[in-house]
Amino acid sequence: MIHTAVTFHTSDESLQKIYHRAEEIERGNIAVMDGRRVLIEGSVYRNIWIETQPMGGEMYAKRDMDAAYNNQYLFLKYQREDGRLPGVIRRKPEGIEPAYSHLQGLSFPYHALNLYYWMRDENREYLALLYDAFSRYDDWLWRTRDTDGDGCLELFTLFDTGEDNSSRFPGAEGLYWGEDAPPVGHGLLPYESMDLMGYSFDTRMMLSEVSRLLENGEEVLWRQKAGAVRQKIRDYLWREERDACYDRDCKNRFLDTLIHNNLRVMYHGAFSQDMAERFVRRHLMNPAEFWTPMPLPSIAANDPLFRNIRGNNWSGAAEGLTYQRAIRAMENYGLYRPLTSIGLKLLEAVHRSMIFTQQYDPFTMEPTGDGDEYGPTALAALEYIARFHGVTPIRDRLVWGALGGCESDYTQVWGEDRYRIVSDGRQAEASINGKPILTLPAGYRAETDLSGNLLGKYDITPII
């Protein structure tokens, strides 16, 4: 595997402490599964879950390509013949146990394709593996999870979306469901799900990109299929008068709970630009709903089903995993200023306690999760630092950040190349292999190709 590494130094002692602690946590989250080095979720979660670890592994590609690849590969290895992917892969004394009792999420296809670019070797066998695996998975979703044939995918259990113990599933608490037939008599399940529609949209967009790279003639077909999913989300789950999506119950009635899962759909890229802007403006930035002192509660703070409960609970707490997903969610729509505010809030919360936990109290910023050393929170902190003071490779481009406010020096090693950005707090100088490429004033970010040439309409953009 290609060699990668990151170095970061700053005059901000608090930020430096956060950075070193997050890196230490992630080094401690390396484990061996199935004879391969992987990055586990961490804290009390000692396995790999599909909602976190393909994404987490790919984020860790900046530092460890071997673990990054294995976090993708093991889920592909244990895909069933019918196309279903395991929701979690557990370590047992007798070996590996892939579980198919629930979907768990799908922070996977986008990140799996990113690894192709990280590898830099034009590995067509890897692309073919991705095409086969995800085309079969999308087929399984539509074969088994649209039981009423209305064109909207359904969740069968709260664990299909990883919303553990959420109050929005009355009558179905703790239910696992590994069957292809839907549950009956468990609350109002199955739900017509914005999350599952996001899974398919993301998968189909990735398959379109893989088809382009493979030149198999199916790029347009998969993009059209993705477009059909996006349109169905708008027509069936989006409520124009409320500027948000809502799931529907087993009788196709709207569930009126306002949930952060809208941000998840943005992570998958399945909102249109206007839908994303409207949700963020009306709801995400609303102090009564999602912009609490510690933003991004799982359920809007003024919703009747909001519950601020300690421990692993998605009824109201602000989750580290949501902060991790928010990066792609906001960048998909060019919403860089809100993203900066989100990242600064996470770094503030971590600084207060120096505990990298699963969830935080949305009003006090107090850690309320189980344990410390939770990987998604540590990785989110490292990613925000990279966006604010560093450089991030994303496929065939580079994102440079210059938040300013402190002196900083960030270098990304990627094979033989060195991408570096140095700031005096007022402006930053970016270079590739020692050659200066651009100067950024504090409060801006830039996008370039891998040679340092500025890209497109939004090549230099304010982030504060």
Side-chain angles (χ1 to χ4, degrees):
M1 286 289 177
I2 195 169
H3 172 65
T4 59
V6 178
T7 59
F8 174 63
H9 303 285
T10 176
S11 61
D12 185 327
E13 294 182 4
S14 165
L15 193 61
Q16 191 74 71
K17 186 177 180 181
I18 291 170
Y19 177 84
H20 285 317
R21 179 62 180 141
E23 281 212 320
E24 179 184 46
I25 287 169
E26 290 306 276
R27 286 193 296 269
N29 283 338
I30 295 292
V32 176
M33 297 183 69
D34 210 21
R36 292 174 173 268
R37 294 174 63 259
V38 299
L39 186 73
I40 62 171
E41 189 164 339
S43 187
V44 299
Y45 303 99
R46 310 309 294 173
N47 302 298
I48 56 174
W49 279 260
I50 204 168
E51 70 173 333
T52 62
Q53 292 318 100
M55 172 174 57
E58 188 263 319
M59 287 180 172
Y60 204 57
K62 291 179 175 177
R63 297 164 171 85
D64 187 333
M65 278 292 297
D66 183 50
Y69 176 80
N70 292 332
N71 274 40
Q72 321 302 315
Y73 175 76
L74 284 186
F75 285 100
L76 300 176
K77 177 180 178 180
Y78 288 101
Q79 185 177 28
R80 291 193 324 202
E81 287 297 319
D82 65 358
R84 182 167 184 165
L85 292 162
V88 55
I89 301 175
R90 297 187 175 95
R91 293 182 293 167
K92 298 287 185 177
E94 62 275 17
I96 295 299
E97 180 188 77
Y100 307 92
S101 56
H102 57 293
L103 301 187
Q104 190 66 53
L106 196 72
S107 298
F108 192 4
Y110 169 83
H111 303 283
L113 181 54
N114 281 354
L115 257 291
Y116 167 77
Y117 291 89
W118 274 107
M119 290 186 285
R120 280 188 163 177
D121 61 0
E122 297 189 2
N123 188 334
R124 295 180 70 83
E125 290 183 4
Y126 179 68
L127 289 177
L129 175 65
L130 295 184
Y131 185 88
D132 174 71
F134 285 101
S135 59
R136 289 194 294 119
Y137 181 71
D138 191 69
D139 178 70
W140 177 84
L141 279 177
W142 287 99
R143 193 171 65 248
T144 65
R145 290 307 185 98
D146 182 17
T147 61
D148 58 5
D150 67 356
C152 187
L153 295 169
E154 302 154 358
L155 63 82
F156 289 177
T157 161
L158 71 163
F159 300 109
D160 279 347
T161 57
E163 293 172 84
D164 298 8
N165 304 308
S166 174
S167 58
R168 80 179 189 100
F169 294 89
E173 300 89 345
L175 174 71
Y176 285 92
W177 196 266
E179 305 299 322
D180 285 351
V184 177
H186 296 276
L188 295 173
L189 294 177
Y191 288 178
E192 306 267 16
S193 171
M194 67 180 83
D195 287 76
L196 267 76
M197 292 295 275
Y199 300 170
S200 181
F201 180 85
D202 211 352
T203 296
R204 290 177 170 190
M205 289 299 291
M206 185 273 275
L207 287 168
S208 176
E209 178 68 6
V210 170
S211 293
R212 182 185 67 80
L213 294 167
L214 287 175
E215 300 178 312
N216 65 11
E218 297 187 348
E219 175 187 358
V220 174
L221 174 64
W222 282 112
R223 191 169 293 273
Q224 290 172 340
K225 286 185 173 183
V229 173
R230 172 180 277 173
Q231 189 61 50
K232 183 65 177 183
I233 291 172
R234 180 148 205 166
D235 293 343
Y236 191 62
L237 299 178
W238 177 261
R239 300 173 79 168
E240 288 288 339
E241 76 283 5
R242 298 194 182 188
D243 294 330
C245 272
Y246 292 80
D247 284 354
R248 293 176 181 254
D249 67 16
C250 59
K251 295 184 179 180
N252 304 104
R253 301 168 300 195
F254 273 120
L255 296 157
D256 281 331
T257 308
L258 180 59
I259 51 179
H260 87 285
N261 306 50
N262 282 266
L263 190 65
R264 297 186 184 195
V265 183
M266 289 171 57
Y267 157 85
H268 290 297
F271 275 2
S272 65
Q273 184 70 33
D274 78 295
M275 290 165 69
E277 291 178 357
R278 288 164 62 184
F279 174 76
V280 169
R281 182 172 56 250
R282 180 170 175 179
H283 300 294
L284 194 71
M285 306 303 293
N286 184 343
E289 296 179 340
F290 294 106
W291 202 255
T292 46
M294 180 69 178
L296 311 188
S298 301
I299 294 176
N302 61 355
D303 192 279
L305 289 184
F306 173 85
R307 305 285 187 275
N308 189 13
I309 300 173
R310 299 183 70 89
N312 176 23
N313 195 293
W314 286 74
S315 301
E319 302 280 345
L321 178 54
T322 302
Y323 277 80
Q324 188 182 19
R325 290 187 179 120
I327 299 170
R328 182 187 174 206
M330 304 303 274
E331 289 185 337
N332 278 339
Y333 301 95
L335 300 173
Y336 304 129
R337 286 187 170 109
L339 178 61
T340 299
S341 298
I342 289 169
L344 289 175
K345 286 288 188 179
L346 178 66
L347 295 175
E348 179 186 350
V350 171
H351 169 65
R352 287 186 177 195
S353 64
M354 285 310 296
I355 294 175
F356 292 78
T357 192
Q358 181 181 6
Q359 62 184 49
Y360 295 85
D361 187 296
F363 305 113
T364 69
M365 291 189 165
E366 175 193 3
T368 62
D370 296 327
D372 190 4
E373 302 183 347
Y374 183 59
T377 302
L379 283 168
L382 291 172
E383 286 294 294
Y384 284 112
I385 290 171
R387 292 307 196 280
F388 296 163
H389 305 285
V391 54
T392 302
I394 301 178
R395 298 193 177 177
D396 56 357
R397 58 194 173 94
L398 301 167
V399 175
W400 307 83
L403 181 63
C406 62
E407 296 178 4
S408 61
D409 187 342
Y410 189 108
T411 298
Q412 173 70 59
V413 177
W414 186 5
E416 299 299 318
D417 293 315
R418 303 291 185 272
Y419 304 100
R420 185 182 184 192
I421 183 165
V422 180
S423 174
D424 63 6
R426 297 178 300 277
Q427 66 178 21
E429 303 290 338
S431 63
I432 298 178
N433 298 326
K435 179 183 178 181
I437 60 164
L438 61 87
T439 300
L440 277 177
Y444 284 79
R445 63 178 261 159
E447 292 193 15
T448 71
D449 63 19
L450 298 182
S451 298
N453 302 303
L454 288 168
L455 294 174
K457 179 180 178 181
Y458 301 107
D459 48 11
I460 298 180
T461 314
I463 59 174
I464 55 176

